[in-house]
């Protein structure tokens, strides 16, 4: 990574930490190492079972941590009130595209305890604002495990069939679901519902309407009610335009137990943020309540290959109602204040910006 990318990662992490502190999250620092036994006992929650290990001086088998959440749950406090923490850590995982292991820098947060709609809504809002730190053109895809679990409820599918169903959901592969039905491994009604759910990708209002006829039981009704409330909170905060409901991401039923989300920015096919509610893991660790959190994968910014002019602090928009002198005065003042600025008649499709100054709404000037 060159110095420019290093600075981009460091600046992004710095801004994210400031964002989380502003909402009362406290820094959480941990060791690079954990006892290997922690990961053996919870390997179903890890992305990979391959873990870097070494023997400590006292003979204990230790591991370079492949996950942050497990360490926070193990070492964090219980008791009254919410545990709200943020972190900037490196994890060590096998590379999906090349041989060997990768050191992956992450910044994220966890909210643990007696969760309610306000706490969940705050985490979802902070996920959206985290993406906004990286690029103004971000999208936050949201789903709920309760819909997929509700459609599978009572089917008693073998593990192999269940895995094929979830893989088909993740790939939006409706023909694969239809084949499972044709083979007699999945009821036709379930295959149809899962197919409609997998193909749904829409803004909150139409998506919530489309979900209504799919509800078959209390679990799905509760999931729909929770999504409605979360989307309303995001609308109240002016962030709903960045939301899309996408149930192809609800395919990890071992880890996530409720709402889950993925964040994307222009120019990167892979997500740069992942999170959701993971009560199963919290209870497995012997703690009561609920848990929700997310991580921003700073290593993805190495592939955020936009030239410097494709990301600015402020985008200034103008039209014929705004005088050239007004445009010049506004942009010069912003640059003098230390901001990077781009003035345009319309927003370039691949431009990332942190703030919009729309002079067209104000009309002309001098």
């Amino acid at each position: 990574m060159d110095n420019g990318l290093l600075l981009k990662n460091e600046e992004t992490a710095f801004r994210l930490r400031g964002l989380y502190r502003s909402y009362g999250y406290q820094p959480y620092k941990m060791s690079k190492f954990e006892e290997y036994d922690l990961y053996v006992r919870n390997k179903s929650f890890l992305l990979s079972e391959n873990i870097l290990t070494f023997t400590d001086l006292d003979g204990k088998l230790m591991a370079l941590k492949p996950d942050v959440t497990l360490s926070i749950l193990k070492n964090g406090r219980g008791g009254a009130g919410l545990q709200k923490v943020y972190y900037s850590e490196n994890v060590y995982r096998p590379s999906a595209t090349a041989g060997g292991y990768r050191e992956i820098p992450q910044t994220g947060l966890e909210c643990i305890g007696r969760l309610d709609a306000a706490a969940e809504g705050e985490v979802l809002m902070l996920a959206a604002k985290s993406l906004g730190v990286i690029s103004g053109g971000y999208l936050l895809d949201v789903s709920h495990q309760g819909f997929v679990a509700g459609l599978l409820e009572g089917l008693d599918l073998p593990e192999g069939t269940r895995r094929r169903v979830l893989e088909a959901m993740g790939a939006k592969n409706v023909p694969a679901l239809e084949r499972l039905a044709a083979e007699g491994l999945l009821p036709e009604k379930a295959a149809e519902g899962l197919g409609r759910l997998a193909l749904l990708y829409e803004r909150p209002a139409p998506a919530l309407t489309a979900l209504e006829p799919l509800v078959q039981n209390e679990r799905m009704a509760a999931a729909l009610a929770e999504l409605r409330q979360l989307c309303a909170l995001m609308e109240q905060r002016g962030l709903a335009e960045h939301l899309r409901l996408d149930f192809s991401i609800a395919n990890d039923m071992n880890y996530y137990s409720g709402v889950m989300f993925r964040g994307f920015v222009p120019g990167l096919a892979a997500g740069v943020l992942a999170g959701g509610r993971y009560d199963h893991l919290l209870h497995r660790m012997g703690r009561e309540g609920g848990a929700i959190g997310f991580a921003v994968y700073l290593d993805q910014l190495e592939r955020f290959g936009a030239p410097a002019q494709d990301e600015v602090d402020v985008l200034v928009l103008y039209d014929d109602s705004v005088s050239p002198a007004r445009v010049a005065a506004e942009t010069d003042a912003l640059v003098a204040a230390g901001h990077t600025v781009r003035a345009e008649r319309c927003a370039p499709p691949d431009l990332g910006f942190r703030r919009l100054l729309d002079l067209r709404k104000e009309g002309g000037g001098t």
Side-chain angles (χ1 to χ4, degrees):
M1 182 168 32
D2 63 30
N3 289 337
L5 290 170
L6 180 61
L7 290 174
K8 176 186 283 289
N9 283 3
E10 290 180 344
E11 180 186 358
T12 300
F14 178 78
R15 290 173 180 264
L16 292 175
R17 292 193 295 269
L19 171 64
Y20 307 151
R21 282 196 301 270
S22 69
Y23 281 85
Y25 286 73
Q26 300 300 308
Y28 193 97
K29 188 65 181 174
M30 60 198 77
S31 169
K32 286 185 172 64
F33 320 123
E34 283 282 4
E35 292 187 26
Y36 178 63
D37 181 62
L38 172 66
Y39 304 116
V40 172
R41 288 185 281 108
N42 298 284
K43 63 182 180 181
S44 62
F45 295 100
L46 298 176
L47 293 177
S48 171
E49 294 185 13
N50 296 316
I51 301 170
L52 283 170
T53 61
F54 64 95
T55 303
D56 205 353
L57 295 177
D58 61 4
K60 286 184 180 178
L61 188 60
M62 305 294 289
L64 285 169
K65 62 179 184 289
D67 176 88
V68 173
T69 302
L70 279 169
S71 294
I72 290 176
L73 293 185
K74 174 193 170 189
N75 301 307
R77 62 166 178 82
L82 293 171
Q83 180 187 3
K84 292 185 173 185
V85 299
Y86 71 87
Y87 59 86
S88 287
E89 297 287 339
N90 293 334
V91 297
Y92 303 86
R93 295 173 182 166
S95 172
T97 57
Y101 285 80
R102 289 192 304 136
E103 184 178 35
I104 303 172
Q106 293 183 355
T107 296
L109 61 81
E110 309 291 345
C111 182
I112 303 163
R114 187 177 176 181
L115 297 181
D116 53 23
E120 278 198 341
E122 181 180 86
V123 170
L124 195 63
M125 172 272 293
L126 288 170
K129 289 194 172 185
S130 296
L131 293 168
V133 167
I134 300 169
S135 171
Y138 70 88
L139 287 175
L140 185 62
D141 292 353
V142 181
S143 71
H144 199 294
Q145 202 64 270
F147 268 90
V148 177
L151 285 170
L152 297 178
E153 196 170 271
L155 296 183
D156 195 26
L157 298 178
E159 181 58 33
T161 302
R162 181 185 172 97
R163 184 169 56 252
R164 288 174 64 185
V165 167
L166 295 178
E167 288 173 354
M169 289 288 295
K172 294 183 179 287
N173 190 343
V174 174
L177 294 169
E178 293 171 345
R179 283 195 297 273
L180 287 169
E183 295 169 13
L185 299 175
L186 187 66
E188 287 188 10
K189 184 178 180 181
E192 180 185 354
L194 289 164
R196 291 170 64 186
L197 200 59
L199 293 178
L200 180 66
Y201 186 82
E202 200 33 287
R203 295 173 183 270
L208 292 168
T209 300
L211 288 171
E212 290 176 358
L214 294 178
V215 174
Q216 297 179 9
N217 48 49
E218 291 184 4
R219 191 170 192 174
M220 298 178 74
L224 179 58
E226 187 176 339
L227 283 174
R228 283 191 185 282
Q229 192 168 34
L230 288 172
C231 289
L233 288 169
M234 294 293 277
E235 178 73 35
Q236 176 185 323
R237 283 168 155 147
L239 298 169
E241 65 180 281
H242 295 280
L243 293 190
R244 299 293 184 271
L245 266 61
D246 179 6
F247 288 84
S248 68
I249 66 174
N251 56 15
D252 188 349
M253 299 180 72
N254 284 328
Y255 193 97
Y256 292 108
S257 58
V259 66
M260 52 190 301
F261 40 91
R262 298 287 184 273
F264 300 86
V265 296
L268 286 177
V272 298
L273 179 149
R277 186 152 178 172
Y278 54 93
D279 295 2
H280 299 324
L281 180 56
L282 182 70
H283 300 160
R284 185 184 179 95
M285 301 287 286
R287 297 180 60 179
E288 297 180 352
I292 186 171
F294 62 82
V296 179
Y297 302 115
L298 297 176
D299 63 309
Q300 292 293 333
L301 300 186
E302 297 173 21
R303 290 176 283 278
F304 195 45
Q309 67 267 27
D310 284 344
E311 183 171 344
V312 295
D313 294 328
V314 185
L315 171 64
V316 177
L317 294 181
Y318 63 93
D319 57 17
D320 290 337
S321 70
V322 185
S323 71
R326 175 73 186 283
V327 176
E330 294 286 357
T331 54
D332 289 351
L334 287 165
V335 169
H339 302 291
T340 57
V341 186
R342 182 156 167 170
E344 293 269 2
R345 287 182 169 271
C346 60
D350 297 325
L351 180 70
F353 55 92
R354 297 188 174 90
R355 182 160 70 88
L356 173 65
L357 177 59
D358 194 343
L359 301 180
R360 300 171 303 179
K361 297 178 179 179
E362 304 174 13
T366 59

